[in-house]
Every structure is written in structure tokens, then in C-alpha cells.
Amino acid sequence: LVDALVSVYVAEGKKVAVLCVDPSSPFHDGALLGDRIRMGRWYNEPLVYIRSLSSRGSLGGLNPTAREITDFLRYCGFDGVIIETVGVGQSEVEVARLADLTILVLVPESGDEVQFMKAGLMEAADLYVVNKSDRPGAELFTVQLKNQVHEQDLVFNTVASTGEGVDLLKERISKYFYKS
């Protein structure tokens, strides 16, 4: 989904930085840092900067230096900085303290309404995305999510591999920053 968003921003001539945080190994604190491989098409694109980091065992889903790196990237004149965290969990919500807008990305297999209620990250998100919404069960999952959120216009369906719904999500992100 991040790759698809980058594509939309680049098509508009926007300069975007992506900070990808991968989970660290509990044995050696290293990480695969596969985001640069998955988003390899941006390697020579002057409008895109991608930096992969390991979480280094930090709780909260971020690298210990994420705040400083994000501040530096903002200072460098990027139109936007996307921070991708290690993933979902009840304690990985540190990004909400760092980011101006927090987007929770789920897939149809993420769970039922009871799991939503337990997860602290539901409260930390500003927008909710059901990615891979072409999978079985996506419609029901989206309805359950909208019922949980109580604001239908905060929930989006995307299929990042085809680009479906990504433009609409990008528009909503822009509206968040340019409220009238």
C-alpha cells in the first residue's frame, strides 16, 4: 500500500520520503529490511527517498531514532513523510505520537469486532484502510469495522496491487491536512 501511495504522489510531482521500520530479531537486533526490495522501482527516482530501519527491540513499533530521522526528513523539504511501522499489536501505537495522521491498515482476515475492541491501536488511528479488499470476507469485515469506528468516511477499501481505492485514500489524506 505504501508503494501504491508513493506512485500516486510521484505522478503528481510530489517529493516523498518513506521511513520503513521492520521488526528486529530477538537474537541479534538485526532485521531483513525488505522494504527497499519491495519498493525497488523507486531506487533511481529523484522524488523518492526510502530508508529502512530495524526496531532494535524498541516497544511501540518504531526505531529509537525515528523521531529524529522524521524531523530531519521534514526539514529536507519533502512534501510528505510516510512512516511504516513494524505492524499491529495492542502496544505498537508510538507512531500516533509522532505522525500528524495515523492510518491503520488491516486485511479482511484481521479478526472480528471483539478483537477490534481489545486492540488499543483502534483508538490511535485517524483513518482505517481495509487493504486486499478483493479477498473473501472483505465486505463483512468492512461493515464490522465501520460499525466499530462509527464514522463511515474514515474507512477505506483498497487493493494496493491493482491501485484500486488508492486515489480515494490519497484524497482523504490531503483533506485531513487541508481542512477548510
Side-chain angles (χ1 to χ4, degrees):
L1 184 57
V2 171
D3 184 69
L5 276 171
V6 168
S7 182
V8 171
Y9 285 117
V10 167
E12 293 180 354
K14 303 281 186 188
K15 187 176 173 187
V16 63
V18 181
L19 186 60
C20 305
V21 184
D22 286 338
S24 298
S25 164
F27 301 104
H28 56 74
D29 281 341
L32 181 58
L33 307 178
D35 299 296
R36 286 182 284 194
I37 296 167
R38 286 193 302 274
M39 293 189 277
R41 68 180 169 146
W42 305 115
Y43 180 73
N44 287 322
E45 174 56 59
L47 295 174
V48 178
Y49 174 77
I50 299 173
R51 176 70 169 111
S52 296
L53 301 166
S54 76
S55 64
R56 296 283 180 200
S58 290
L59 297 177
L62 295 175
N63 177 283
T65 60
R67 179 168 302 282
E68 291 84 1
I69 293 170
T70 301
D71 288 345
F72 176 75
L73 292 172
R74 287 176 175 159
Y75 178 78
C76 288
F78 286 96
D79 295 304
V81 178
I82 298 171
I83 304 166
E84 181 188 43
T85 66
V86 298
V88 297
Q90 292 182 29
S91 63
E92 284 82 14
V93 295
E94 192 64 30
V95 71
R97 292 187 187 106
L98 174 60
D100 296 323
L101 173 72
T102 303
I103 301 172
L104 175 60
V105 181
L106 302 162
V107 293
E109 301 84 7
S110 293
D112 60 17
E113 289 179 283
V114 174
Q115 287 177 308
F116 287 152
M117 289 184 255
K118 291 190 305 185
L121 76 146
M122 287 295 292
E123 300 162 345
D126 299 301
L127 299 177
Y128 306 83
V129 175
V130 178
N131 192 32
K132 302 180 182 181
S133 61
D134 56 342
R135 289 185 176 175
E139 254 182 76
L140 176 61
F141 182 78
T142 300
V143 168
Q144 290 175 338
L145 181 58
K146 285 181 178 181
N147 288 336
Q148 182 70 30
V149 172
H150 300 297
E151 289 189 51
Q152 309 261 328
D153 65 334
L154 299 181
V155 179
F156 297 86
N157 288 80
T158 62
V159 181
S161 61
T162 65
E164 183 181 330
V166 177
D167 285 330
L168 184 62
L169 174 61
K170 188 252 165 210
E171 285 175 29
R172 185 60 172 96
I173 292 169
S174 294
K175 283 183 184 177
Y176 182 88
F177 290 107
Y178 305 108
K179 297 175 186 174
S180 8

